[in-house]
Amino acid sequence: MVLCTEDGHKAGTAPKAEVHTASTPLHFAFSAWLFDDCGNVLLTRRALNKLTWPGVWTNSFCGHPGPDETFEDALVRRASEELGTTVKKIESVLPSFRYRAVDASGIVENEICPVFFAEVDGELNPNPDEVCEFEWVSMENLKEAVERVPFIFSPWLVEELEQFPE
């Protein structure tokens, strides 16, 4: 994983297994929201074996860029690895999004995490080590669900949704 400084500059790398701890250093990540032809967004439920937020509903997928990888290239790679699909029309929507959250087990997420929208461009074949369920929903229904039961969603989904332009 690519570590970074408070002002967003690269500050070295570290193995993923050593980064996500109770004192996670600031690092780069990305968050992707996939849409279908009808404008519905893909929600995924994180696999139950995930280190952080297992079983929690979240946006389509997230990931970490490699040391010499653009966010867009990392997004394309992770769409294939996590969802078994391809994407098109990648659009940056929250380029400076950053968050810090602590999961129930005490593991910290501490990321500079640009957010992207993209369109799904193929069938879904989710990796069961990453995703245990998925659902296509309207943004209207998602916003209503987050308002009613925010605790079933990842903290980054809730924060991102609040910051999206209308």
Side-chain angles (χ1 to χ4, degrees), residues 6-37:
E6 288 292 325
D7 58 356
H9 292 92
K10 290 182 182 179
T13 61
K16 183 178 180 180
E18 296 175 15
V19 171
H20 288 117
T21 65
S23 57
T24 301
L26 185 61
H27 60 279
F28 289 115
F30 68 86
S31 185
W33 294 64
L34 295 186
F35 294 86
D36 65 13
D37 293 338

Side-chain angles (χ1 to χ4, degrees), residues 142-157:
L142 173 59
K143 288 176 182 178
E144 183 178 318
V146 167
E147 188 174 305
R148 289 180 183 212
V149 286
F151 52 85
I152 70 166
F153 297 99
S154 68
W156 57 90
L157 175 146

Side-chain angles (χ1 to χ4, degrees), residues 90-102:
I90 298 169
E91 173 191 1
S92 174
V93 291
L94 296 175
S96 59
F97 181 74
R98 177 179 174 175
Y99 78 99
R100 184 180 186 284
V102 183

Side-chain angles (χ1 to χ4, degrees), residues 30-99:
F30 68 86
S31 185
W33 294 64
L34 295 186
F35 294 86
D36 65 13
D37 293 338
C38 299
N40 294 311
V41 64
L42 177 68
L43 295 184
T44 58
R45 185 170 172 232
R46 294 171 60 84
L48 299 176
N49 64 337
K50 296 289 280 183
L51 177 65
T52 58
W53 285 274
V56 171
W57 285 94
T58 193
N59 56 293
S60 307
F61 66 98
C62 295
H64 301 92
D68 298 315
E69 190 175 38
T70 66
F71 286 108
E72 291 82 358
D73 287 345
L75 189 149
V76 169
R77 173 180 52 80
R78 286 300 295 165
S80 175
E81 293 171 354
E82 195 163 323
L83 296 173
T85 195
T86 56
V87 295
K88 62 184 180 181
K89 298 183 181 177
I90 298 169
E91 173 191 1
S92 174
V93 291
L94 296 175
S96 59
F97 181 74
R98 177 179 174 175
Y99 78 99

Side-chain angles (χ1 to χ4, degrees), residues 66 68 112 117 127 146:
D68 298 315
I112 292 179
F117 286 172
N127 178 341
V146 167

